[in-house]
Amino acid sequence: MSEEKSAFEQAYSDEGFWDKLVRYAKTAGKELVEKALWLYYASQQPATPLWAKGVIYGALGYFILPVDAIPDVMPGVGFTDDLGIIAAALGTVAMYIDDEVKRLATQKLRDWFGD
């Protein structure tokens, strides 16, 4: 397996993730934000292996990059490609999305969207 990181993995940073999420949470919608938070919090868990973190960082890197298949500023469809990438990553690393990850994400969603 190659040790090289994809361009999307290289684009990922915690600061970039939180900046994009905070700026676009309402526009992106609760479902996308929830799934992105699941990936983020799963990447922070010590039990998540490096290969899974690579998948997560690649998906979240795609999310935070300003250039993607469908520009995020397009009303109604701008985040559909991001959701597709995040859903594919979730399918790959689903075994690391545990109750603690979901609890952390739910709390952050309540902070931003209310109950």
Side-chain angles (χ1 to χ4, degrees), residues 33-94:
V33 171
E34 176 185 52
K35 304 311 184 243
L37 287 169
W38 284 2
L39 290 176
Y40 174 79
Y41 288 123
S43 76
Q44 304 302 302
Q45 301 298 314
T48 303
L50 287 177
W51 71 264
K53 289 180 181 186
V55 169
I56 291 168
Y57 295 147
L60 295 180
Y62 183 89
F63 172 69
I64 66 175
L65 273 176
V67 177
D68 53 44
I70 302 172
D72 295 340
V73 297
M74 292 184 65
V77 297
F79 288 97
T80 55
D81 60 323
D82 300 272
L83 184 57
I85 296 294
I86 286 174
L90 282 170
T92 304
V93 301

Side-chain angles (χ1 to χ4, degrees), residues 4 15 34 47 62-63 87 93 96 99 106 109:
E4 292 183 36
E15 182 180 318
E34 176 185 52
Y62 183 89
F63 172 69
V93 301
Y96 303 106
D99 290 340
T106 298
L109 285 171

